Amino acid sequence: MSESIYSKPLPRGDHYNGEFYGYCKQHELRFQRCSDCGTWRHMPRESCRNCGSFDWTWERSNGTGRIFSWTVIHRALHPGFNDELPYAAVVVELDEGVRVVSHVIDLDIADLVVGLPVEVVFEDVTPETTLHKFRPVSSASR
Ligand SMILES: [Zn+2]
């Protein structure tokens, strides 16, 4: 497989999804945050589940969190992932409290640990699309 051709499915670029990935393209991880009660949320939606407010802004996450959970995929549901099997789909809980499904790079799946500190990294997979991924926070930087 050529390095220059990205063969995996790409996120849809519309509505809130497009805004989220638009910030990723700028290498910023942002989530919706309620303007009334301050609750962060993800996935994006119209109103706050805590207070019901429809007022919110995209706020920048500090990009650090911990591994919350994961599942290991042994049979790819899309041929673009065949070369990476087995791989882990990881749920990361950011310091702001939101949880996102992503990938952890620079870590063997056998070394995944609940609570492991991770930080966001951005991967420009096509000229138009940047994906958020995570890597272990090195002990030297904590
Ligand atoms: Zn609220």
Side-chain angles (χ1 to χ4, degrees):
M1 183 170 60
S2 168
E3 292 271 320
S4 62
I5 299 172
Y6 189 77
S7 59
K8 299 178 181 118
L10 292 168
R12 290 173 49 191
D14 58 353
H15 200 46
Y16 292 150
N17 206 41
E19 294 176 30
F20 176 84
Y21 284 102
Y23 287 118
C24 286
K25 188 167 173 51
Q26 300 172 45
H27 291 197
E28 293 181 2
L29 187 62
R30 290 182 182 260
F31 300 105
Q32 287 178 308
R33 188 175 190 192
C34 177
S35 300
D36 288 319
C37 76
T39 300
W40 296 75
R41 63 180 185 257
H42 186 73
M43 300 293 287
R45 52 190 167 268
E46 298 289 341
S47 65
C48 176
R49 66 175 158 73
N50 185 53
C51 75
S53 172
F54 285 83
D55 294 326
W56 58 272
T57 56
W58 288 106
E59 294 283 324
R60 189 168 183 178
S61 164
N62 68 14
T64 57
R66 292 175 184 274
I67 292 177
F68 181 80
S69 186
W70 68 88
T71 187
V72 176
I73 289 90
H74 294 274
R75 295 188 68 176
L77 295 177
H78 186 283
F81 292 95
N82 280 341
D83 291 347
E84 295 183 15
L85 294 173
Y87 68 91
V90 178
V91 178
V92 171
E93 185 172 78
L94 278 301
D95 293 344
E96 292 84 7
V98 298
R99 294 177 189 151
V100 295
V101 177
S102 186
H103 291 274
V104 175
I105 64 170
D106 299 337
L107 185 72
D108 192 279
I109 58 173
D111 296 326
L112 285 163
V113 176
V114 169
L116 186 78
V118 292
E119 62 188 0
V120 72
V121 290
F122 293 96
E123 198 169 297
D124 300 318
V125 296
T126 72
E128 299 80 25
T129 305
T130 298
L131 300 179
H132 58 297
K133 298 188 177 183
F134 291 85
R135 69 180 172 206
V137 175
S138 68
S139 55
S141 64
R142 290 184 68 84

